[in-house]
Amino acid sequence: MERINTALSQWDGNSELQKRLDQAKQSLLESPYITSFLDKHPDVTNEMITGGLTKLYEYKKEREHCDHCPGLKKCPNLMQGYQPELFIERNHIEIQYHACNLKVQDEKQKQEQGLIQSLYIPKEILTASFEQLDAGTERMEASRAALQFAMNAKPGEDGSGLYFYGKFGVGKTYLMGAIANELKDRGIETFIIFTPDFFREMRQSIGDGSFQSKLDAVKKAQVLILDDIGAETTSSWTRDDVLGAILQHRMLEKLPTLFTSNYDYDELERHLAYSDKGGTEELKALRIMERIKHYTSLIMVKGENRRS
């Protein structure tokens, strides 16, 4: 009698376990992620579902993570930065992973930074945002223009940009960082380049054969920010073959270019007119400036030097 009672107890336990398994399976099949997959594959049988329950559960769990994405660095998925995808192979439900948009953007940025060392993103710029911006009355015009550009930029349709000028340390680069981070949230690729380092790097790249690939990457960026233009040691070559080529392409393709400088338009034109060959080349400088003036709004950034 005791053995029979033990057997019945085990049977009841198994029955309860099976009940819970059935409930879990039903809950899984009611998930919108799973119903969407099954709707696209009406030939999936109950046998295939039973055999693929582990894959279906994994897919549901990982997709829920993606829908509540905490960012690439905190991604809880089995493969960080990768999204799951279900497919049918030989009458079995299988799962595979592909890089999500954040992972793709991160890899692209790493490649770009590996290619162009002068991509200028200091730590304080990485976290620049309009929410944390201390606009003040002196920087109100610049802040409004920056936010308006960030919210409305349409690379390929409108090539209009901004030209921020003012004294050292008034926050020109920080404003550009806020623009770049806002554009990133909109999925728009932005290069922030420290112009003096960029020109030095381009001269060096002739020797290692990377000049054209670097030039093309900058020319084709959806939004380009040339930080501190005018601080570089200018030459006819950097002005005409580098800066001129970049601006010409971007003008034709309607890709916005933004600038920060200590110079206004006229002062930058005089700077660009300098020729390392001796004398000045005013006509060539004027050609560059015509492209800048026509496609940017000149805005003075006022305020105290925040670096001192």
Side-chain angles (χ1 to χ4, degrees), residues 215-296:
L215 185 67
D216 287 343
V218 175
K219 283 165 58 176
K220 296 175 182 179
Q222 286 182 289
V223 174
L224 173 64
I225 298 174
L226 292 176
D227 187 44
D228 215 4
I229 190 169
E232 73 282 354
T233 301
T234 191
S235 71
S236 299
W237 179 76
T238 55
R239 179 194 62 211
D240 302 332
D241 295 338
V242 180
L243 181 60
I246 290 170
L247 295 181
Q248 178 67 14
H249 176 86
R250 300 186 64 78
M251 178 183 68
L252 294 175
E253 297 299 321
K254 296 183 179 181
L255 299 172
T257 307
L258 291 76
F259 304 83
T260 74
S261 183
N262 297 129
Y263 295 153
D264 62 19
Y265 284 158
D266 293 337
E267 291 168 329
L268 181 62
E269 184 173 338
R270 288 194 291 273
H271 172 77
L272 293 174
Y274 169 79
S275 174
D276 52 335
K277 300 175 183 177
T280 58
E281 296 178 325
E282 296 176 357
L283 182 59
K284 291 185 176 181
L286 178 61
R287 288 174 181 167
I288 297 291
M289 289 308 304
E290 283 302 309
R291 296 169 188 169
I292 294 176
K293 289 179 180 179
H294 188 72
Y295 285 97
T296 59

Coordinates of all heavy atoms in Angstrom, one line a residue, residues 215-296:
L215 N 40.2 61.5 -46.9 CA 39.5 62.7 -47.5 C 38.1 62.3 -47.9 O 37.2 63.1 -47.6 CB 40.3 63.2 -48.8 CG 39.7 64.4 -49.4 CD1 39.9 65.6 -48.5 CD2 40.4 64.7 -50.8
D216 N 37.9 61.1 -48.5 CA 36.6 60.7 -48.9 C 35.7 60.5 -47.7 O 34.5 60.9 -47.7 CB 36.7 59.4 -49.6 CG 37.2 59.5 -51.0 OD1 37.3 60.7 -51.5 OD2 37.6 58.5 -51.6
A217 N 36.2 60.0 -46.6 CA 35.4 59.8 -45.4 C 34.8 61.1 -44.8 O 33.7 61.2 -44.5 CB 36.2 59.1 -44.3
V218 N 35.7 62.1 -44.8 CA 35.3 63.4 -44.3 C 34.3 64.1 -45.3 O 33.3 64.7 -44.9 CB 36.5 64.3 -44.1 CG1 36.1 65.7 -43.7 CG2 37.4 63.7 -43.0
K219 N 34.6 64.0 -46.6 CA 33.7 64.6 -47.6 C 32.3 64.0 -47.5 O 31.3 64.8 -47.7 CB 34.3 64.3 -49.0 CG 35.5 65.2 -49.4 CD 36.2 64.6 -50.6 CE 35.4 64.5 -51.8 NZ 36.2 64.0 -53.0
K220 N 32.2 62.7 -47.2 CA 30.9 62.1 -47.3 C 30.1 62.0 -46.0 O 29.0 61.5 -46.0 CB 31.1 60.7 -47.9 CG 31.6 60.7 -49.3 CD 31.9 59.3 -49.9 CE 32.5 59.4 -51.3 NZ 32.9 58.0 -51.8
A221 N 30.7 62.5 -44.9 CA 30.0 62.4 -43.6 C 28.7 63.2 -43.8 O 28.6 64.2 -44.4 CB 30.9 63.0 -42.5
Q222 N 27.6 62.6 -43.1 CA 26.3 63.3 -43.3 C 26.4 64.7 -42.7 O 25.8 65.6 -43.3 CB 25.3 62.5 -42.5 CG 24.9 61.2 -43.2 CD 23.8 60.5 -42.5 OE1 24.0 59.9 -41.4 NE2 22.6 60.5 -43.0
V223 N 27.0 64.9 -41.6 CA 27.2 66.2 -41.0 C 28.7 66.3 -40.6 O 29.2 65.4 -39.9 CB 26.3 66.5 -39.8 CG1 26.6 67.9 -39.2 CG2 24.8 66.5 -40.2
L224 N 29.3 67.4 -41.0 CA 30.7 67.6 -40.6 C 30.9 68.9 -39.8 O 30.3 69.9 -40.1 CB 31.6 67.8 -41.9 CG 33.0 68.1 -41.7 CD1 33.8 67.0 -41.0 CD2 33.7 68.4 -43.1
I225 N 31.6 68.7 -38.7 CA 31.9 69.9 -37.8 C 33.4 70.1 -37.9 O 34.2 69.2 -37.4 CB 31.4 69.7 -36.4 CG1 29.9 69.5 -36.4 CG2 31.8 70.8 -35.5 CD1 29.3 69.1 -35.0
L226 N 33.8 71.2 -38.4 CA 35.3 71.6 -38.4 C 35.5 72.5 -37.2 O 35.1 73.7 -37.3 CB 35.6 72.3 -39.8 CG 35.6 71.3 -41.0 CD1 35.9 72.1 -42.3 CD2 36.6 70.2 -40.8
D227 N 36.1 72.0 -36.2 CA 36.3 72.8 -35.0 C 37.6 73.5 -35.0 O 38.6 73.0 -35.4 CB 36.3 71.8 -33.8 CG 36.4 72.5 -32.5 OD1 35.6 73.5 -32.3 OD2 37.1 72.0 -31.6
D228 N 37.5 74.8 -34.6 CA 38.7 75.7 -34.5 C 39.4 75.9 -35.9 O 40.6 76.0 -36.0 CB 39.7 75.1 -33.5 CG 40.4 76.2 -32.7 OD1 40.1 77.4 -32.9 OD2 41.3 75.9 -31.9
I229 N 38.6 76.1 -36.9 CA 39.2 76.5 -38.2 C 39.8 77.9 -38.1 O 39.3 78.8 -37.5 CB 38.1 76.4 -39.3 CG1 38.8 76.6 -40.7 CG2 37.1 77.5 -39.1 CD1 37.9 76.3 -41.9
G230 N 41.0 78.0 -38.7 CA 41.8 79.2 -38.6 C 42.9 79.1 -37.6 O 43.8 80.0 -37.6
A231 N 42.9 78.1 -36.7 CA 44.0 77.9 -35.8 C 45.1 77.1 -36.4 O 46.2 77.0 -35.8 CB 43.4 77.2 -34.5
E232 N 44.9 76.6 -37.6 CA 45.9 75.8 -38.2 C 46.9 76.7 -38.9 O 46.7 77.8 -39.2 CB 45.3 74.8 -39.3 CG 44.7 75.5 -40.5 CD 43.4 76.3 -40.3 OE1 42.8 76.1 -39.3 OE2 43.0 77.0 -41.3
T233 N 48.1 76.1 -39.2 CA 49.1 76.8 -40.0 C 48.7 76.5 -41.5 O 48.7 75.3 -41.9 CB 50.5 76.2 -39.8 OG1 50.8 76.4 -38.4 CG2 51.5 76.9 -40.7
T234 N 48.2 77.5 -42.1 CA 47.6 77.3 -43.5 C 48.7 77.2 -44.5 O 49.8 77.6 -44.4 CB 46.7 78.4 -43.8 OG1 45.9 78.1 -45.0 CG2 47.4 79.7 -44.1
S235 N 48.3 76.5 -45.6 CA 49.2 76.4 -46.8 C 48.2 76.4 -48.0 O 47.0 76.1 -47.9 CB 50.1 75.2 -46.8 OG 49.3 74.0 -46.9
S236 N 48.8 76.7 -49.2 CA 48.0 76.6 -50.4 C 47.4 75.2 -50.6 O 46.3 75.0 -51.0 CB 48.8 77.0 -51.6 OG 49.3 78.3 -51.5
W237 N 48.2 74.2 -50.2 CA 47.7 72.8 -50.5 C 46.6 72.4 -49.5 O 45.6 71.9 -50.0 CB 48.9 71.8 -50.2 CG 48.5 70.4 -50.4 CD1 48.3 69.8 -51.6 CD2 48.3 69.5 -49.4 NE1 47.9 68.5 -51.3 CE2 47.9 68.3 -50.0 CE3 48.3 69.5 -48.0 CZ2 47.6 67.1 -49.3 CZ3 48.0 68.4 -47.2 CH2 47.6 67.2 -47.9
T238 N 46.7 72.7 -48.2 CA 45.6 72.4 -47.3 C 44.3 73.2 -47.7 O 43.2 72.7 -47.5 CB 46.0 72.6 -45.9 OG1 46.4 74.0 -45.7 CG2 47.1 71.7 -45.4
R239 N 44.5 74.4 -48.1 CA 43.4 75.3 -48.4 C 42.7 74.8 -49.7 O 41.4 74.6 -49.7 CB 43.8 76.7 -48.6 CG 42.7 77.7 -48.9 CD 43.3 79.0 -49.4 NE 44.0 78.8 -50.7 CZ 45.1 79.5 -51.0 NH1 45.5 80.5 -50.2 NH2 45.7 79.3 -52.1
D240 N 43.4 74.5 -50.7 CA 42.8 74.2 -52.0 C 42.5 72.8 -52.2 O 41.4 72.4 -52.7 CB 43.7 74.7 -53.1 CG 44.0 76.2 -53.1 OD1 43.2 76.9 -52.5 OD2 45.1 76.6 -53.5
D241 N 43.5 71.9 -51.9 CA 43.3 70.4 -52.2 C 42.6 69.7 -51.1 O 42.2 68.5 -51.3 CB 44.7 69.8 -52.5 CG 45.3 70.4 -53.7 OD1 44.6 70.9 -54.5 OD2 46.6 70.4 -53.8
V242 N 42.6 70.2 -49.9 CA 41.9 69.5 -48.8 C 40.6 70.2 -48.4 O 39.5 69.7 -48.7 CB 42.8 69.4 -47.5 CG1 42.1 68.7 -46.4 CG2 44.1 68.7 -47.9
L243 N 40.7 71.4 -47.9 CA 39.5 72.1 -47.5 C 38.6 72.4 -48.7 O 37.4 72.2 -48.6 CB 39.9 73.4 -46.8 CG 38.7 74.3 -46.3 CD1 37.9 73.5 -45.3 CD2 39.2 75.6 -45.6
G244 N 39.2 72.9 -49.8 CA 38.4 73.2 -51.0 C 37.7 72.0 -51.5 O 36.5 72.1 -51.9
A245 N 38.4 70.9 -51.6 CA 37.8 69.7 -52.1 C 36.7 69.2 -51.2 O 35.6 68.7 -51.7 CB 38.9 68.6 -52.2
I246 N 36.8 69.3 -49.9 CA 35.8 68.9 -49.0 C 34.5 69.7 -49.1 O 33.4 69.2 -49.3 CB 36.3 68.9 -47.5 CG1 37.4 67.8 -47.3 CG2 35.2 68.8 -46.5 CD1 38.1 68.0 -46.0
L247 N 34.7 71.0 -49.1 CA 33.6 71.9 -49.2 C 32.9 71.8 -50.6 O 31.6 71.9 -50.6 CB 34.0 73.4 -49.0 CG 34.6 73.6 -47.5 CD1 35.0 75.1 -47.4 CD2 33.6 73.2 -46.5
Q248 N 33.6 71.6 -51.6 CA 33.0 71.5 -52.9 C 32.1 70.3 -53.0 O 30.9 70.4 -53.5 CB 34.1 71.5 -54.0 CG 33.6 71.3 -55.5 CD 32.8 72.5 -56.0 OE1 32.9 73.6 -55.4 NE2 32.1 72.3 -57.1
H249 N 32.6 69.2 -52.6 CA 31.8 68.0 -52.6 C 30.5 68.1 -51.7 O 29.4 67.7 -52.1 CB 32.6 66.8 -52.1 CG 31.8 65.5 -52.0 ND1 31.7 64.6 -53.1 CD2 31.1 64.9 -50.9 CE1 30.9 63.6 -52.7 NE2 30.6 63.8 -51.4
R250 N 30.7 68.7 -50.5 CA 29.6 68.8 -49.6 C 28.5 69.8 -50.1 O 27.4 69.6 -49.9 CB 30.1 69.2 -48.2 CG 31.1 68.1 -47.6 CD 31.5 68.4 -46.2 NE 30.3 68.4 -45.3 CZ 29.8 67.2 -44.9 NH1 30.4 66.1 -45.2 NH2 28.8 67.2 -44.1
M251 N 29.0 70.8 -50.8 CA 28.1 71.7 -51.4 C 27.2 71.1 -52.4 O 26.0 71.2 -52.5 CB 28.8 72.9 -51.9 CG 28.0 74.0 -52.6 SD 29.0 75.3 -53.4 CE 29.8 74.4 -54.7
L252 N 27.8 70.3 -53.3 CA 27.1 69.6 -54.4 C 26.2 68.6 -53.9 O 25.1 68.4 -54.4 CB 28.1 69.0 -55.4 CG 29.0 70.0 -56.1 CD1 30.0 69.2 -57.0 CD2 28.2 70.9 -57.0
E253 N 26.5 67.9 -52.8 CA 25.7 66.8 -52.2 C 24.7 67.3 -51.2 O 24.0 66.5 -50.6 CB 26.6 65.7 -51.7 CG 27.5 65.0 -52.7 CD 26.7 64.3 -53.8 OE1 25.6 63.7 -53.5 OE2 27.1 64.4 -55.0
K254 N 24.7 68.6 -50.9 CA 23.9 69.2 -49.9 C 24.1 68.5 -48.5 O 23.1 68.1 -47.8 CB 22.4 69.1 -50.3 CG 22.1 69.9 -51.5 CD 20.6 69.8 -51.9 CE 20.3 70.7 -53.1 NZ 18.9 70.6 -53.5
L255 N 25.3 68.4 -48.1 CA 25.7 67.9 -46.8 C 26.1 69.0 -45.9 O 27.1 69.7 -46.2 CB 26.8 66.8 -46.9 CG 26.5 65.6 -47.8 CD1 27.8 64.8 -48.0 CD2 25.4 64.8 -47.2
P256 N 25.5 69.2 -44.8 CA 25.8 70.4 -43.9 C 27.2 70.3 -43.3 O 27.7 69.3 -42.9 CB 24.7 70.3 -42.8 CG 23.6 69.4 -43.3 CD 24.3 68.4 -44.3
T257 N 27.8 71.5 -43.3 CA 29.1 71.7 -42.7 C 29.0 72.8 -41.6 O 28.5 73.8 -41.9 CB 30.2 72.0 -43.7 OG1 30.2 71.0 -44.7 CG2 31.6 72.0 -43.0
L258 N 29.5 72.5 -40.4 CA 29.5 73.5 -39.3 C 30.9 73.8 -38.9 O 31.8 73.0 -39.1 CB 28.7 72.9 -38.1 CG 27.2 72.7 -38.3 CD1 26.9 71.5 -39.1 CD2 26.5 72.6 -36.9
F259 N 31.1 75.0 -38.4 CA 32.4 75.5 -38.1 C 32.4 76.2 -36.7 O 31.4 76.8 -36.3 CB 32.9 76.6 -39.1 CG 32.9 76.1 -40.6 CD1 31.7 76.1 -41.3 CD2 34.0 75.7 -41.2 CE1 31.7 75.7 -42.6 CE2 34.0 75.2 -42.5 CZ 32.9 75.3 -43.2
T260 N 33.5 76.1 -36.0 CA 33.8 77.0 -34.9 C 35.1 77.6 -35.2 O 36.0 77.1 -35.8 CB 33.9 76.2 -33.6 OG1 35.2 75.5 -33.5 CG2 32.7 75.3 -33.4
S261 N 35.3 78.9 -34.7 CA 36.5 79.6 -35.0 C 36.6 80.8 -34.1 O 35.6 81.3 -33.5 CB 36.5 80.2 -36.5 OG 37.7 80.8 -36.8
N262 N 37.8 81.3 -33.9 CA 38.0 82.6 -33.2 C 37.9 83.7 -34.2 O 37.9 84.9 -33.7 CB 39.4 82.6 -32.5 CG 39.6 81.5 -31.5 OD1 40.6 80.8 -31.5 ND2 38.6 81.4 -30.6
Y263 N 37.8 83.4 -35.4 CA 37.7 84.4 -36.5 C 36.3 84.6 -37.0 O 35.6 83.6 -37.1 CB 38.6 84.1 -37.7 CG 40.1 84.0 -37.4 CD1 40.9 83.2 -38.2 CD2 40.7 84.8 -36.4 CE1 42.3 83.2 -38.0 CE2 42.0 84.8 -36.2 CZ 42.8 84.0 -37.0 OH 44.2 83.9 -36.8
D264 N 35.9 85.8 -37.4 CA 34.7 85.9 -38.1 C 35.0 85.7 -39.6 O 36.1 85.3 -40.0 CB 34.1 87.3 -37.9 CG 35.0 88.5 -38.4 OD1 35.9 88.2 -39.2 OD2 34.7 89.6 -37.9
Y265 N 34.0 85.9 -40.5 CA 34.2 85.6 -41.9 C 35.4 86.3 -42.5 O 36.3 85.8 -43.2 CB 33.0 86.0 -42.7 CG 31.8 85.0 -42.6 CD1 30.5 85.5 -42.9 CD2 32.0 83.7 -42.3 CE1 29.4 84.6 -42.8 CE2 30.9 82.8 -42.2 CZ 29.6 83.3 -42.5 OH 28.5 82.4 -42.4
D266 N 35.5 87.6 -42.3 CA 36.5 88.5 -42.9 C 37.9 88.1 -42.3 O 38.9 88.0 -43.1 CB 36.2 90.0 -42.6 CG 35.0 90.5 -43.3 OD1 34.6 89.8 -44.3 OD2 34.4 91.5 -42.8
E267 N 38.0 87.8 -41.0 CA 39.3 87.5 -40.5 C 39.7 86.1 -41.0 O 40.9 85.9 -41.3 CB 39.2 87.4 -38.9 CG 39.0 88.8 -38.3 CD 38.6 88.7 -36.9 OE1 37.9 87.8 -36.5 OE2 38.9 89.7 -36.1
L268 N 38.8 85.2 -41.1 CA 39.2 83.9 -41.7 C 39.6 84.0 -43.1 O 40.6 83.3 -43.6 CB 38.0 82.9 -41.6 CG 38.3 81.5 -42.1 CD1 39.4 80.8 -41.3 CD2 37.0 80.6 -42.1
E269 N 39.0 84.8 -43.9 CA 39.4 85.0 -45.3 C 40.8 85.6 -45.4 O 41.6 85.1 -46.2 CB 38.4 86.0 -46.0 CG 38.7 86.2 -47.4 CD 37.7 87.0 -48.2 OE1 36.5 87.1 -47.6 OE2 38.0 87.6 -49.2
R270 N 41.2 86.5 -44.5 CA 42.5 87.0 -44.5 C 43.5 85.9 -44.1 O 44.6 85.8 -44.7 CB 42.7 88.2 -43.5 CG 42.0 89.4 -44.1 CD 42.4 90.7 -43.3 NE 41.9 90.6 -41.9 CZ 40.7 91.1 -41.6 NH1 39.9 91.7 -42.5 NH2 40.3 91.1 -40.3
H271 N 43.1 85.1 -43.2 CA 44.0 83.9 -42.8 C 44.2 82.9 -43.9 O 45.3 82.5 -44.2 CB 43.3 83.2 -41.6 CG 44.0 81.9 -41.2 ND1 45.2 81.9 -40.5 CD2 43.7 80.6 -41.4 CE1 45.5 80.7 -40.3 NE2 44.6 79.9 -40.8
L272 N 43.1 82.6 -44.6 CA 43.2 81.7 -45.7 C 43.9 82.2 -46.9 O 44.4 81.5 -47.8 CB 41.8 81.2 -46.2 CG 41.0 80.4 -45.1 CD1 39.6 80.2 -45.6 CD2 41.7 79.1 -44.9
A273 N 44.0 83.6 -47.0 CA 44.7 84.2 -48.2 C 46.2 84.1 -48.1 O 46.9 84.2 -49.1 CB 44.3 85.7 -48.3
Y274 N 46.7 83.7 -46.9 CA 48.2 83.6 -46.7 C 48.7 82.5 -47.6 O 48.1 81.4 -47.7 CB 48.5 83.3 -45.2 CG 49.9 82.9 -45.0 CD1 51.0 83.8 -45.0 CD2 50.3 81.5 -44.9 CE1 52.3 83.4 -44.9 CE2 51.6 81.1 -44.8 CZ 52.6 82.1 -44.7 OH 53.9 81.7 -44.6
S275 N 49.8 82.7 -48.2 CA 50.4 81.7 -49.1 C 51.8 81.3 -48.6 O 52.6 82.2 -48.3 CB 50.5 82.2 -50.5 OG 51.2 81.3 -51.3
D276 N 52.0 80.0 -48.4 CA 53.4 79.6 -48.0 C 54.4 79.8 -49.1 O 55.6 79.7 -48.9 CB 53.3 78.1 -47.5 CG 52.7 77.2 -48.6 OD1 51.9 77.7 -49.4 OD2 53.0 76.0 -48.6
K277 N 53.9 80.1 -50.3 CA 54.8 80.4 -51.4 C 55.2 81.9 -51.4 O 56.0 82.3 -52.2 CB 54.1 80.1 -52.7 CG 53.6 78.7 -52.8 CD 52.8 78.5 -54.1 CE 52.3 77.1 -54.2 NZ 51.4 76.9 -55.4
G278 N 54.7 82.6 -50.5 CA 55.0 84.1 -50.4 C 53.9 84.9 -50.8 O 53.2 84.6 -51.8
G279 N 53.6 86.0 -50.1 CA 52.5 86.9 -50.5 C 51.2 86.4 -50.1 O 51.0 85.5 -49.2
T280 N 50.1 86.8 -50.8 CA 48.8 86.4 -50.5 C 48.1 85.9 -51.7 O 48.4 86.3 -52.8 CB 48.0 87.5 -49.8 OG1 47.9 88.6 -50.7 CG2 48.6 87.9 -48.5
E281 N 47.1 85.1 -51.6 CA 46.2 84.6 -52.7 C 44.8 84.9 -52.3 O 44.0 84.0 -52.0 CB 46.5 83.1 -52.9 CG 47.9 82.8 -53.3 CD 48.2 81.3 -53.5 OE1 47.6 80.5 -52.7 OE2 49.0 80.9 -54.4
E282 N 44.4 86.1 -52.5 CA 43.1 86.6 -52.1 C 42.0 86.0 -52.9 O 40.9 85.7 -52.3 CB 43.1 88.1 -52.2 CG 44.1 88.8 -51.3 CD 44.1 90.3 -51.5 OE1 43.3 90.8 -52.4 OE2 44.8 91.0 -50.7
L283 N 42.2 85.7 -54.1 CA 41.1 85.2 -55.0 C 40.8 83.7 -54.5 O 39.6 83.4 -54.4 CB 41.5 85.2 -56.4 CG 40.4 84.7 -57.4 CD1 39.1 85.5 -57.3 CD2 41.0 84.7 -58.9
K284 N 41.8 83.0 -54.2 CA 41.6 81.6 -53.8 C 40.9 81.5 -52.4 O 40.0 80.7 -52.2 CB 42.9 80.8 -53.8 CG 43.4 80.6 -55.2 CD 44.7 79.7 -55.2 CE 45.1 79.4 -56.6 NZ 46.3 78.5 -56.6
A285 N 41.3 82.4 -51.6 CA 40.7 82.5 -50.2 C 39.2 82.9 -50.4 O 38.3 82.4 -49.7 CB 41.4 83.5 -49.4
L286 N 39.0 83.8 -51.3 CA 37.6 84.3 -51.5 C 36.7 83.2 -52.0 O 35.5 83.0 -51.6 CB 37.6 85.4 -52.6 CG 36.2 86.0 -52.9 CD1 35.5 86.6 -51.7 CD2 36.4 87.0 -54.0
R287 N 37.2 82.3 -52.9 CA 36.5 81.1 -53.4 C 36.0 80.2 -52.2 O 34.9 79.7 -52.2 CB 37.3 80.4 -54.4 CG 37.4 81.1 -55.7 CD 38.4 80.3 -56.6 NE 38.6 80.9 -57.9 CZ 39.5 80.6 -58.8 NH1 40.4 79.6 -58.5 NH2 39.6 81.3 -59.9
I288 N 37.0 80.0 -51.3 CA 36.6 79.1 -50.1 C 35.6 79.8 -49.3 O 34.6 79.2 -48.9 CB 37.9 78.9 -49.3 CG1 39.0 78.1 -50.1 CG2 37.5 78.1 -48.0 CD1 38.6 76.7 -50.4
M289 N 35.8 81.1 -49.1 CA 34.9 81.8 -48.2 C 33.5 81.9 -48.8 O 32.5 81.9 -48.1 CB 35.4 83.2 -47.9 CG 36.6 83.2 -46.9 SD 36.3 82.2 -45.4 CE 34.9 83.0 -44.7
E290 N 33.4 82.0 -50.1 CA 32.0 82.1 -50.7 C 31.2 80.8 -50.4 O 30.0 80.8 -50.2 CB 32.2 82.3 -52.2 CG 32.5 83.7 -52.6 CD 31.5 84.7 -52.1 OE1 30.3 84.5 -52.3 OE2 31.9 85.7 -51.4
R291 N 31.9 79.7 -50.4 CA 31.3 78.4 -50.1 C 30.8 78.4 -48.7 O 29.7 77.9 -48.3 CB 32.2 77.2 -50.4 CG 32.5 77.1 -51.9 CD 33.7 76.1 -52.1 NE 34.1 76.1 -53.5 CZ 35.2 75.5 -53.9 NH1 36.0 74.8 -53.1 NH2 35.6 75.6 -55.2
I292 N 31.7 78.9 -47.8 CA 31.4 78.9 -46.4 C 30.2 79.9 -46.1 O 29.2 79.5 -45.4 CB 32.6 79.2 -45.5 CG1 33.7 78.1 -45.6 CG2 32.2 79.4 -44.0 CD1 35.0 78.5 -44.9
K293 N 30.3 81.1 -46.6 CA 29.3 82.1 -46.3 C 27.9 81.7 -46.9 O 26.9 81.9 -46.2 CB 29.7 83.4 -47.0 CG 30.9 84.1 -46.3 CD 31.2 85.4 -47.1 CE 32.4 86.1 -46.5 NZ 32.7 87.4 -47.2
H294 N 27.9 81.1 -48.0 CA 26.6 80.8 -48.7 C 25.9 79.7 -47.9 O 24.6 79.6 -48.0 CB 26.9 80.4 -50.1 CG 25.6 80.2 -50.9 ND1 24.8 81.3 -51.3 CD2 24.9 79.1 -51.4 CE1 23.8 80.8 -52.0 NE2 23.8 79.5 -52.0
Y295 N 26.6 78.8 -47.3 CA 26.0 77.6 -46.7 C 26.1 77.6 -45.1 O 25.8 76.6 -44.5 CB 26.6 76.3 -47.2 CG 26.1 76.1 -48.6 CD1 26.9 76.4 -49.7 CD2 24.9 75.4 -48.9 CE1 26.5 76.2 -51.0 CE2 24.5 75.2 -50.2 CZ 25.2 75.6 -51.2 OH 24.8 75.3 -52.5
T296 N 26.4 78.7 -44.5 CA 26.3 78.8 -43.1 C 25.7 80.1 -42.6 O 25.7 81.1 -43.3 CB 27.8 78.7 -42.5 OG1 28.6 79.8 -42.9 CG2 28.4 77.4 -42.8

